[in-house]
């Protein structure tokens, strides 16, 4: 029983890695622009399809296909910010929410028209052989996918904390007007945040599709990330890493021992209970504004 629990726990932690990347994409856009991007899941889905097309249709090596996907995903995020979201600056929050929902629906519809609605499997670029830690078995694809996600997440957090662009994003998040007065290109920061989110979406989409396949419905997986964001708090980059791993672990343990019907809602019950006690999430900070 203990060995089985450890196996389920490791699988859950590895599954939570995809949530981490997607949640980081949500948070970086929100911190920089105060926009909650409901199209994040569809950005993940399109990136996975781009990788599939580059590797299978054009026959590129998976490394080249990955680079091409990252570049195209960054371009897609840039276009979304420059030609749609930038025109919405100053509009009410509900308008921005509806715009991102609309963008997600458009991407999902275009994906269905271009690639169809069946589930496609990505090329086997990750080793399939299981990994053994003593008597504990870890599926090879899941382990290597988690390793890739961990490298991307660590690199992103380091870039966010120590690069000039990351400092500019944090300054804009703290006080947009003051940041602009100090000479920070706020519109450039908005664009950078969306491009970074596009790169994170590409990593999360490919990681998820490499294990479960890709279809236009893959974007709905990002809805599970809402639990991660609410638990961590929208203002914490480090917090979503912990929350993402925890939610992935909790979903797997609940599904393994209580069944799929419990798995679909019990993590949200836990998140709701936490938010009733701490409305800003475990790691979020309450914003105090003077009028």
């Amino acid at each position: 029983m203990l060995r089985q629990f450890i196996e389920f726990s490791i699988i859950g932690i590895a599954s939570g890695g995809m949530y981490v990347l997607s949640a980081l994409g949500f948070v970086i856009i929100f911190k920089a622009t105060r926009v909650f991007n409901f199209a994040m899941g569809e950005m993940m889905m399109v990136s996975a399809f781009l990788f599939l097309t580059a590797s299978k249709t054009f026959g590129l090596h998976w490394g080249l296909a990955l680079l091409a996907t990252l570049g195209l995903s960054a371009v897609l995020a840039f276009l979304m910010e420059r030609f749609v979201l930038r025109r919405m600056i100053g509009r009410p929050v509900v308008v921005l929410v509806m715009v991102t929902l609309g963008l997600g629906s458009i991407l999902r519809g275009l994906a269905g028209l271009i690639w169809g609605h069946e589930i496609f499997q990505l090329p086997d670029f990750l080793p399939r052989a299981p990994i053994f830690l003593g008597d504990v078995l870890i599926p090879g694809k899941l382990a290597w996918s988690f390793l890739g996600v961990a490298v991307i997440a660590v690199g992103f957090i380091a870039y966010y904390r120590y690069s000039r662009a990351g400092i500019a994003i944090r300054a804009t998040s703290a006080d947009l007007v003051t940041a602009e007065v100090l000479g920070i290109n706020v519109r450039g920061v908005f664009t950078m945040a969306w491009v970074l989110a596009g790169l994170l979406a590409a990593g999360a989409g490919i990681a998820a599709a490499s294990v479960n396949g890709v279809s236009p419905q893959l974007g709905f997986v990002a809805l599970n990330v809402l639990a991660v964001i609410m638990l961590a708090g929208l203002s914490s980059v480090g917090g979503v890493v912990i929350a993402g791993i925890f939610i992935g672990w909790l979903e797997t343990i609940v599904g393994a021992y209580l069944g799929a019907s419990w798995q679909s809602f019990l993590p949200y019950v836990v998140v709701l209970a936490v938010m009733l006690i701490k409305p800003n999430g475990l790691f979020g900070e309450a914003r105090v504004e003077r009028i």
Side-chain angles (χ1 to χ4, degrees), residues 170-240:
R170 299 208 308 276
T172 303
S173 173
D175 192 323
L176 187 149
V177 175
T178 302
E180 194 163 21
V181 168
L182 292 175
I184 293 175
N185 182 356
V186 172
R187 292 180 182 269
V189 168
F190 290 175
T191 301
M192 174 61 68
W194 275 85
V195 169
L196 287 174
L199 296 175
L200 290 168
I206 293 171
S210 66
V211 177
N212 301 314
V214 57
S215 74
Q217 308 309 311
L218 177 65
F220 291 121
V221 173
L223 293 178
N224 295 336
V225 179
L226 293 177
V228 174
I229 298 168
M230 290 187 292
L231 182 63
L234 280 169
S235 61
S236 176
V237 169
V240 298

Side-chain angles (χ1 to χ4, degrees), residues 124-177:
D124 285 331
F125 65 98
L126 295 175
R128 300 177 62 92
I131 297 173
F132 289 91
L133 299 176
D135 294 332
V136 177
L137 183 149
I138 307 172
K141 272 191 173 184
L142 193 61
W144 287 102
S145 175
F146 177 75
L147 179 62
V149 164
V151 169
I152 295 172
V154 169
F156 168 79
I157 292 174
Y159 181 80
Y160 175 76
R161 289 190 62 84
Y162 301 112
S163 71
R164 293 184 64 182
I167 294 171
I169 291 174
R170 299 208 308 276
T172 303
S173 173
D175 192 323
L176 187 149
V177 175

Side-chain angles (χ1 to χ4, degrees), residues 38 93-104:
F38 280 99
V93 173
V94 66
V95 173
L96 299 175
V97 168
M98 296 306 296
V99 167
T100 59
L101 284 171
L103 285 172

